[in-house]
């Protein structure tokens, strides 16, 4: 067989394994909580004759620790951009080559040559968004485009604030609020960050994941949280408003990857290809209310996502958003110590 025909045969085999509707068996997905569309899973199960099990995690660190420990039984995990290089470097992921799958043509060019997975040899976009401010405007009517809402909260919000329990997002916002840059090693500044968070925390009510219910119900009056969840809260209570911290806010993209020790690799590849279909990607976004990175998916978005203020950054705040780079192990250890102190 010639090299050319061998290459053609390999390409055809990849198309079949990634796109066929005849796969059978199981697929075990490990994903963020309240982040996976049941309708999407049902459609995939019916299309591919695969039984899907979804298990939730609550943070990047939780997911990474679970997989490092082994014996997990998962096929797919959905790390954030700043953690994905760690997963790749530690050899935890399969180089599944989604860039060679039939539906990869639908990935928006903006999300192809990304710093955390150049050319997308390991990952497929799931959803992307940012951490910002959500406030019940019946309780507080002042400026909400600032991290002061949770770091120096106005008296109307004291004792009524929830902060997302995600270390990097909270530290990023605090570092920027105090004039620093992400991955800084400035010990004096990091002491200020620690002290500011220790000063602010007693003024918060919680650090949990119940914003979609407790912000619209009035249990929380202010939050530092992910934009899609705040959008979901606003749809239940129109008094909820969204703010973009002018001092700086973190952007994120979570991506679907296949674990190196996955037992159901072909089904996992089929799922990767499946979610790059615009109509299917739109189902992901319609559930969790985040953008997804697949061209043409917006045409299938529900009306409540089109023009949503939580998804359309005003020009004056665009430059304040930043994807978090992966800090050095030494810096990560410094940040982890601060986070440990905050959570004591």
């Amino acid at each position: 067989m010639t090299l050319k025909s061998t290459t053609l045969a390999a390409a055809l085999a990849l198309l079949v394994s990634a796109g066929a509707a005849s796969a059978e068996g199981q697929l075990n997905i490990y994903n963020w909580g309240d982040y996976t569309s049941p309708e999407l899973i049902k459609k995939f199960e019916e299309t591919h004759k695969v039984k899907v099990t979804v298990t939730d995690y609550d943070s990047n660190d939780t997911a990474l620790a679970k997989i490092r420990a082994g014996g997990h039984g998962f096929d797919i995990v959905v790390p954030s951009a700043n953690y994905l290089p760690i997963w790749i470097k530690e050899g935890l992921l399969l180089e599944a080559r989604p860039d060679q799958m039939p539906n990869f043509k639908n990935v928006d060019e903006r999300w192809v040559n990304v710093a955390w997975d150049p050319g997308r040899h390991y990952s497929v976009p799931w959803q992307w968004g940012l951490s910002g401010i959500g406030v019940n405007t019946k309780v507080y009517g002042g400026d909400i485009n600032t991290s002061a809402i949770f770091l120096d909260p106005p008296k109307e919000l004291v004792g009524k604030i929830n902060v997302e329990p995600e270390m990097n997002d909270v530290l990023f916002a605090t570092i920027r609020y105090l004039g620093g840059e992400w991955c800084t090693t400035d010990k004096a500044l990091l002491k200020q960050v620690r002290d500011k968070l220790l000063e602010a925390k007693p003024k918060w009510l919680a650090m949990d994941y119940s914003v979609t219910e407790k912000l619209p119900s009035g249990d929380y009056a202010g939050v530092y949280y992910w934009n899609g969840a705040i959008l979901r809260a606003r749809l239940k209570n129109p008094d909820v408003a969204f703010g973009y911290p002018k001092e700086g806010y973190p952007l994120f993209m979570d991506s679907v990857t296949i674990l190196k020790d996955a037992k159901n690799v072909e089904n996992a590849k089929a799922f990767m290809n499946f979610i790059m279909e615009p109509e299917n990607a739109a189902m992901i976004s319609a559930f969790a209310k985040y953008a997804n990175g697949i061209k043409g998916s917006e045409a299938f978005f529900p009306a409540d996502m089109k023009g949503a203020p939580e998804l359309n950054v005003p020009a004056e705040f665009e430059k304040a958003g930043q994807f978090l780079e992966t800090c050095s192990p030494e810096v990560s250890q410094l940040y982890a110590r601060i986070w440990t102190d905050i959570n004591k």
Side-chain angles (χ1 to χ4, degrees):
M1 185 178 288
T2 66
L3 177 61
K4 189 173 183 179
S5 62
T6 300
T7 303
L8 178 60
L12 289 173
L14 179 63
L15 292 180
V16 170
S17 67
S22 59
E24 295 181 357
Q26 298 179 334
L27 180 64
N28 298 305
I29 298 175
Y30 194 33
N31 199 359
W32 295 82
D34 199 25
Y35 205 39
T36 307
S37 162
E39 290 78 13
L40 174 86
I41 296 302
K42 181 180 179 182
K43 182 178 179 181
F44 179 77
E45 288 181 325
E46 292 175 349
T47 302
H48 289 270
K49 307 299 184 289
V50 169
K51 174 61 179 173
V52 178
T53 301
V54 179
T55 302
D56 295 346
Y57 56 81
D58 59 8
S59 73
N60 278 295
D61 291 303
T62 297
L64 188 56
K66 179 74 171 178
I67 302 306
R68 279 170 170 165
H72 48 78
F74 301 123
D75 302 304
I76 280 175
V77 70
V78 191
S80 297
N82 59 313
Y83 274 73
L84 192 49
I86 299 172
W87 290 78
I88 294 171
K89 184 178 180 180
E90 294 190 12
L92 298 172
L93 302 179
L94 178 72
E95 189 173 8
R97 296 308 301 264
D99 59 311
Q100 296 178 3
M101 293 179 182
N103 284 334
F104 189 77
K105 64 182 183 292
N106 297 321
V107 176
D108 191 301
E109 288 78 8
R110 175 184 179 185
W111 304 114
V112 173
N113 284 306
V114 289
W116 53 90
D117 182 16
R120 291 284 183 179
H121 287 199
Y122 291 87
S123 67
V124 165
W126 179 254
Q127 294 186 95
W128 73 276
L130 58 98
S131 294
I133 301 296
V135 167
N136 185 326
T137 56
K138 289 285 188 181
V139 178
Y140 178 69
D143 180 19
I144 63 173
N145 292 300
T146 172
S147 290
I149 291 296
F150 76 98
L151 292 174
D152 284 303
K155 63 181 185 300
E156 297 94 329
L157 297 177
V158 171
K160 304 172 185 176
I161 294 170
N162 181 73
V163 174
E164 63 170 78
E166 179 66 21
M167 178 182 76
N168 288 319
D169 291 350
V170 175
L171 290 182
F172 175 87
T174 310
I175 288 169
R176 291 297 299 272
Y177 183 71
L178 294 174
E181 295 296 330
W182 183 241
C183 291
T184 182
T185 58
D186 184 332
K187 298 287 182 63
L189 176 65
L190 291 177
K191 184 180 184 301
Q192 291 180 48
V193 168
R194 174 185 175 277
D195 291 348
K196 172 55 66 178
L197 287 169
L198 287 173
E199 172 194 301
K201 190 181 179 185
K203 301 174 185 177
W204 306 341
L205 177 60
M207 295 178 70
D208 68 22
Y209 295 94
S210 55
V211 163
T212 56
E213 298 301 326
K214 291 186 177 180
L215 181 57
S217 71
D219 292 324
Y220 301 147
V223 300
Y224 173 67
Y225 211 73
W226 296 289
N227 59 325
I230 297 173
L231 192 165
R232 292 167 70 182
R234 177 177 59 78
L235 294 177
K236 296 176 182 178
N237 183 346
D239 293 328
V240 171
F242 186 78
Y244 293 86
K246 54 182 172 285
E247 303 88 2
Y249 56 85
L251 298 167
F252 72 85
M253 170 169 269
D254 300 323
S255 297
V256 167
T257 64
I258 300 175
L259 290 160
K260 190 74 169 284
D261 54 358
K263 299 292 189 286
N264 303 290
V265 171
E266 295 310 313
N267 291 341
K269 288 182 177 180
F271 187 76
M272 272 187 160
N273 190 62
F274 184 79
I275 64 172
M276 290 188 285
E277 185 68 38
E279 188 171 357
N280 297 334
M283 295 174 75
I284 300 171
S285 294
F287 175 77
K289 305 301 183 187
Y290 297 94
N292 59 60
I294 302 300
K295 290 181 298 187
S297 64
E298 295 87 351
F300 301 97
F301 279 8
D304 57 32
M305 290 186 70
K306 296 175 180 178
E310 300 85 354
L311 303 180
N312 294 274
V313 185
E316 63 185 300
F317 300 123
E318 283 182 352
K319 291 183 178 179
Q322 179 181 328
F323 275 100
L324 305 190
E325 62 182 283
T326 304
C327 301
S328 70
E330 294 75 22
V331 172
S332 296
Q333 288 174 8
L334 288 173
Y335 291 3
R337 285 181 208 146
I338 295 173
W339 193 243
T340 298
D341 288 346
I342 301 309
N343 284 282
K344 286 180 180 176

